[in-house]
Amino acid sequence: MVEGTRDAGRRLLVLGAGPAQLGLLGAARERGLFVIACDRDPAAPGFRLADRRAIVSTEDEPSIERLARAERVDGIVSPGSDWPVGIAARVAERLGLPHPLEPGQAVLATSKMRQRERFAGAGVPQPRWAVCRDLAEAEAAVAEIGLPCVLKAPDRQGQKGLALVQEPHELVGAVALAVAASRSGLCLVEEAVEGPEVTVNAISAEGRFTPLTVTDRETADLPAFGVALAHVWPSRLPAETVMACIDAARAAAEALGIERGPTYTQIVAGPDGPRVGELAARLGGGHDAELCRSALGVDLNALAICAALGERAEVEYGERAGGACTRFLVAPAGVLSEVQGVHEALAAEGVLDVRVYREPGYIFAPLRRGSDRAGAVLAIGADRDDAVRRARRASERIRFETVDAEALV
Ligand SMILES: Nc1ncnc2c1ncn2[C@@H]1O[C@H](COP(=O)(O)OP(=O)(O)OP(=O)(O)O)[C@@H](O)[C@H]1O
Ligand SMILES: [Mg+2]
């Protein structure tokens, strides 16, 4: 990769160097920015794209502030991960840096509970919901909302503390799981909305919301409730349903006061219309910006970087694909010994990128959450189904050899 020079000297602090941050880290490097990345995991794959690496948790606000001051950064960004979105906004404010979000907006964007309150006030369509402290309150909420319902921690992402409750006896475990994961000790009980799900990826500038890709989110079977296995563009839903989802995502951004930067909005197209799951004021963590670039020719990573540096940038459309698909890879549980077939997958028709998230020695748990996924393939095609087929074919070429962890003891 040839490094640009126009930004020599400008410094960007990226919170996180995991799989979700790879795309933005690559784009920052391509722009010639001096990139400081932090992550608590010394083996984080994004570190190799950074000029400077700091082994600091993305949730350690005092250390991040010290790092930002010491490195004299020009901007801070948390692509693909939620909690640090608030940290980035607060540290930017304390350092007097330009930033797309004010701390208050960031707090709204990182709390599923506060979003529910705001959406209710603004009339944004959403599932029925209740905030609960314990099993008794959750039982009362279920009596109102009915089953199936979804239990979640209001301030987590990546399916931590998330569970679908179909039968009354499952509630006790789901409440315990959500409360244990919750930072506040509260849990959310939500109506489980039936229907296909989309993600609306957008960018806002000076209050103007520009929708980019609307992708179908294909999720795993239980017990991996809610875990995305593919994002597919364009959506298979009728145009008027897609438009209604875009309107709901715009209304969600307005309700939270988000005027600048990327948004990632999860929406279930329910029988009575769209229902907003949540809005994240950041890039999606499933390589959504890379899919956007391949689908529409819009460099969403670059736009997010501009927003983080306080720059104005126009959305420029480039070459469009007929269809595009990000398909996530899942490894058998156990200790990773070898990954085969990556070159063959990369050489397959329509494949633009293959990402393997883990190195040999990593212990894969059975698939329960997004972080258990092993990698991703991005493919384009003549239309969505062609892209899906190509991504599937490529992913079938990749084999994760794992050894049963217990056999090693
Ligand atoms: N009320 C609901 N009705 C139907 N499906 C839901 C509901 N809440 C969550 N889900 C499913 O679970 C997925 C994850 O939910 P949610 O975004 O609330 O959790 P999360 O921990 O933030 O996960 P992620 O990091 O993937 O966004 C959703 O994309 C959807 O598939
Ligand atoms: Mg979410």
Side-chain angles (χ1 to χ4, degrees):
M1 192 191 308
V2 180
E3 290 196 19
T5 50
R6 75 187 165 104
D7 278 309
R10 298 209 79 200
R11 302 162 79 85
L12 180 69
L13 174 57
V14 181
L15 305 186
Q21 288 84 31
L22 287 171
L24 182 129
L25 284 164
R29 194 185 176 87
E30 226 169 295
R31 238 188 88 152
L33 292 167
F34 187 90
V35 179
I36 301 120
C38 75
D39 201 297
R40 68 170 178 199
D41 176 8
F47 275 146
R48 68 187 154 74
L49 298 169
D51 297 285
R52 191 152 293 162
R53 53 203 78 177
I55 314 299
V56 168
S57 161
T58 56
E59 303 205 349
D60 181 349
E61 189 161 341
S63 298
I64 290 169
E65 181 168 344
R66 272 196 299 278
L67 180 66
R69 285 187 195 279
E71 292 288 346
R72 300 183 320 278
V73 301
D74 297 292
I76 310 177
V77 64
S78 169
S81 119
D82 255 347
W83 194 250
V85 165
I87 296 178
R90 287 189 290 274
V91 171
E93 187 184 65
R94 290 200 285 268
L95 267 65
L97 297 172
H99 197 72
L101 300 172
E102 286 163 17
Q105 296 164 344
V107 166
L108 287 176
T110 52
S111 165
K112 298 179 203 295
M113 183 178 80
R114 288 177 195 243
Q115 291 196 19
R116 292 269 170 263
E117 290 163 359
R118 280 293 169 119
F119 292 165
V124 177
Q126 60 178 338
R128 286 180 293 137
W129 60 285
V131 179
C132 303
R133 275 174 304 192
D134 53 28
L135 181 61
E137 289 189 5
E139 280 170 343
V142 169
E144 289 277 312
I145 289 171
L147 292 181
C149 69
V150 178
L151 268 279
K152 54 180 79 168
D155 43 20
R156 290 286 177 191
Q157 69 171 119
Q159 296 87 40
K160 281 194 201 117
L162 180 75
L164 176 70
V165 173
Q166 294 170 297
E167 303 290 338
H169 72 267
E170 293 168 342
L171 189 62
V172 57
V175 171
L177 187 79
V179 168
S182 167
R183 293 169 205 265
S184 56
L186 300 171
C187 71
L188 271 175
V189 176
E190 294 182 2
E191 164 195 11
V193 182
E194 278 285 325
E197 186 177 357
V198 297
T199 306
V200 179
N201 294 281
I203 186 97
S204 295
E206 310 317 317
R208 193 164 42 84
F209 175 92
T210 304
L212 297 166
T213 43
V214 179
T215 49
D216 291 326
R217 177 179 172 120
E218 294 181 3
T219 49
D221 292 334
L222 293 175
F225 177 66
V227 176
L229 287 185
H231 295 296
V232 188
W233 178 88
S235 171
R236 68 154 68 88
L237 300 179
E240 60 271 23
T241 308
V242 171
M243 288 309 296
C245 290
I246 290 173
D247 289 344
R250 181 185 288 108
E254 276 168 13
L256 304 184
I258 311 290
E259 298 195 331
R260 285 179 210 90
T263 52
Y264 168 93
T265 311
Q266 294 167 260
I267 301 179
V268 178
D272 302 318
R275 297 288 179 268
V276 177
E278 65 172 330
L279 175 146
R282 55 167 172 80
L283 298 174
H287 318 301
D288 303 73
E290 291 89 296
L291 187 147
C292 178
R293 188 177 194 174
S294 66
L296 300 175
V298 173
D299 192 345
L300 186 50
N301 279 312
L303 291 171
I305 291 171
C306 288
L309 292 168
E311 298 171 355
R312 295 179 75 113
E314 288 299 312
V315 176
E316 284 173 25
Y317 294 85
E319 195 179 336
R320 249 178 111 93
C325 172
T326 299
R327 188 183 168 86
F328 295 96
L329 306 171
V330 179
V335 184
L336 181 64
S337 57
E338 201 185 353
V339 187
Q340 293 179 339
V342 172
H343 291 295
E344 292 90 321
L346 268 169
E349 208 174 7
V351 173
L352 300 184
D353 203 3
V354 173
R355 291 212 158 122
V356 171
Y357 299 157
R358 307 295 181 187
E359 298 285 327
Y362 183 82
I363 304 174
F364 281 109
L367 182 72
R368 294 285 183 280
R369 300 176 182 171
S371 57
D372 297 322
R373 296 173 304 191
V377 168
L378 172 61
I380 54 171
D383 54 29
R384 79 183 296 291
D385 292 340
D386 191 33
V388 168
R389 256 192 313 274
R390 287 171 162 189
R392 183 179 305 121
R393 237 180 269 142
S395 64
E396 283 165 1
R397 295 184 181 192
I398 301 169
R399 281 187 316 286
F400 291 87
E401 305 289 345
T402 55
V403 182
D404 186 349
E406 286 178 10
L408 294 179
V409 184

